[in-house]
Amino acid sequence: MINPLQTPHSGYHWDNSDRRFFEGWYYRVTLPEDRQTFAFMYSIEDPLGGKPHSGGAAQILGPDDEYICRTFPDVKKFWAWRDALGLGHWGKTNSETRFLKETGFLEPAEFSSHIQEGYQATATWHQGKICDRGSSNYCSWQYEIKPIYGWGNQNAPQQSTAGFFSFLPIFEPGWQILMAHGLATGWIEWNGKRYEFTDAPAYSEKNWGGAFPQKWFWVNCNCFDSQPDLALTAGGGRRGVLWWMESVAMIGLHHQGKFYEFVPWNSKVSWNIQPWGRWQMQAENEQYEIELTGTTDLPGTPLRAPTENGLQFVCRDTMLGQLTLELRERLGSKSKIILKAHSSLCGLETGGGPWNESWLSN
């Protein structure tokens, strides 16, 4: 059954060529009662194989921003669907001959029986287990997902996050929010502690391409105080467009069935991002204005991201950021507040560089 909220770019983008290529996926579950978040990051690079950076990885940012990582060097054990959201990568298996010859989604019980290390993920299911190679830390998980918001109004065709131009390879890397908000039910076990949850806020996005952003920032939250039906994703970066670089940013908000989109072609978007600790953004168009501020006193956790030189520690994240936002409707020369919200479970990130000083929009 096709997900009615399936966005453009949900399928795998690799064209089977030998050009430099990566694709990455991000899944997250936030547990309000535990005040914790689990963020799962998957990547595949140069999937043809035989290249210096060929291979995949699974990274998890867990409770209190703790981190584990597992690489999967065998590209032949990676699979992904072309026409819908679905991917997986096997590490150790109990049935080598069988699972090396066939790839694709396994029934959950079959996965549990045969896959010792690996993961599989779709729009409605997420399952896996990995052990950190550098420590005794491990994580296993299994939960179903009920999508609430894709990227766009609920009863309308879903949109590309980067608009029409994201269909063309002149803008790289591409970026797509796959599910701005959903509800997850299942369990995650982290180093022996089991977290069980029902209808926990869930989120997913992806990026892909043959070029890599030089510098970027990201603010994301779908777990707000007293606002269960609210999801925000905002971010910006310097990316390649043909032979020049451009700095772009956007803010997207879903609330009570409506999508508020602030992007360069319909709004003025500005930002002031410190190297770490404070993220400020404002945007306005003919109908609405929005302001948001993310802050953290935590040091954040270094994470790996695909680069020209393979997977490297080039970004820093916390899932325990503070966030305030205000959305206003413009009424002539005045404006009316239609939403104010706060969260202490916001995802905040800076990546690339240089980050010698605050980054202000032009």
Side-chain angles (χ1 to χ4, degrees):
M1 178 180 169
I2 293 178
N3 171 18
L5 293 173
Q6 177 168 299
T7 64
H9 305 295
S10 289
Y12 186 36
H13 286 77
W14 183 48
D15 62 3
N16 295 305
S17 74
D18 63 354
R19 77 165 183 138
R20 188 79 174 89
F21 179 84
F22 79 94
E23 198 147 346
W25 296 260
Y26 179 97
Y27 280 69
R28 194 187 66 238
V29 174
T30 302
L31 308 179
E33 293 179 3
D34 296 287
R35 313 303 297 169
Q36 298 290 0
T37 292
F38 289 86
F40 302 82
M41 293 150 277
Y42 306 126
S43 57
I44 187 74
E45 290 189 74
D46 294 341
L48 191 65
K51 299 293 183 77
H53 306 304
S54 291
Q59 304 177 73
I60 306 175
L61 192 58
D64 299 320
D65 288 343
E66 294 181 19
Y67 171 77
I68 62 176
C69 177
R70 170 73 163 91
T71 56
F72 297 101
D74 190 347
V75 295
K76 293 189 171 111
K77 293 184 182 180
F78 174 83
W79 63 269
W81 295 338
R82 296 277 176 189
D83 56 354
L85 176 56
L87 66 146
H89 210 156
W90 314 147
K92 290 182 181 178
T93 67
N94 291 331
S95 309
E96 284 297 325
T97 53
R98 179 181 175 191
F99 288 106
L100 279 175
K101 289 178 180 175
E102 63 181 55
T103 57
F105 185 82
L106 301 176
E107 289 301 316
E110 198 173 25
F111 181 100
S112 298
S113 297
H114 294 288
I115 305 300
Q116 294 180 18
E117 282 191 277
Y119 67 86
Q120 60 180 13
T122 72
T124 57
W125 184 255
H126 189 201
Q127 179 178 20
K129 42 192 168 185
I130 67 168
C131 301
D132 191 287
R133 277 290 181 259
S135 68
S136 59
N137 295 330
Y138 73 92
C139 184
S140 56
W141 61 97
Q142 183 173 303
Y143 62 86
E144 60 180 340
I145 306 163
K146 184 165 58 179
I148 304 296
Y149 295 120
W151 192 249
N153 289 307
Q154 266 184 319
N155 299 314
Q158 299 301 288
Q159 300 174 206
S160 296
T161 301
F164 169 76
F165 290 109
S166 62
F167 288 89
L168 307 173
I170 62 171
F171 289 87
E172 290 196 305
W175 181 37
Q176 178 72 50
I177 284 76
L178 299 164
M179 184 182 72
H181 182 53
L183 299 175
T185 297
W187 56 266
I188 301 171
E189 186 171 309
W190 180 268
N191 297 330
K193 182 173 181 179
R194 189 178 177 94
Y195 296 82
E196 297 188 357
F197 46 90
T198 302
D199 290 344
Y203 171 85
S204 58
E205 67 174 49
K206 70 181 298 187
N207 59 1
W208 70 93
F212 304 86
Q214 288 189 349
K215 183 177 178 177
W216 68 92
F217 60 89
W218 178 82
V219 180
N220 176 258
C221 185
N222 63 340
C223 185
F224 288 85
D225 302 343
S226 305
Q227 293 278 0
D229 187 25
L230 176 61
L232 167 87
T233 302
R238 283 179 54 78
R239 64 178 182 176
V241 185
L242 297 179
W243 55 87
W244 74 90
M245 296 297 296
E246 67 168 6
S247 294
V248 292
M250 55 75 64
I251 301 172
L253 189 77
H254 290 81
H255 182 238
Q256 296 182 348
K258 185 168 183 179
F259 179 48
Y260 300 87
E261 183 185 38
F262 301 87
V263 287
W265 54 90
N266 72 13
S267 308
K268 179 184 178 184
V269 185
S270 57
W271 62 88
N272 182 351
I273 314 296
Q274 292 184 5
W276 183 255
R278 190 173 185 86
W279 292 249
Q280 287 181 286
M281 296 185 71
Q282 302 85 31
E284 60 180 57
N285 56 33
E286 292 183 356
Q287 290 181 281
Y288 301 101
E289 304 169 345
I290 190 169
E291 289 186 44
L292 61 94
T293 301
T295 60
T296 184
D297 294 327
L298 298 169
T301 300
L303 300 178
R304 296 172 173 92
T307 74
E308 198 60 51
N309 298 311
L311 214 55
Q312 303 284 335
F313 284 108
V314 292
C315 59
R316 180 176 296 272
D317 281 60
T318 180
M319 294 293 119
L320 297 166
Q322 303 289 326
L323 176 67
T324 58
L325 72 82
E326 185 173 292
L327 178 68
R328 298 182 294 271
E329 185 175 13
R330 304 185 74 171
L331 303 167
S333 60
K334 299 180 180 179
S335 62
K336 178 182 76 172
I337 296 173
I338 55 177
L339 175 66
K340 291 181 79 167
H342 173 267
S343 176
S344 56
L345 291 168
C346 177
L348 299 169
E349 176 178 271
T350 58
W355 281 100
N356 301 322
E357 56 189 9
S358 293
W359 184 10
L360 279 71
S361 52
N362 295 330

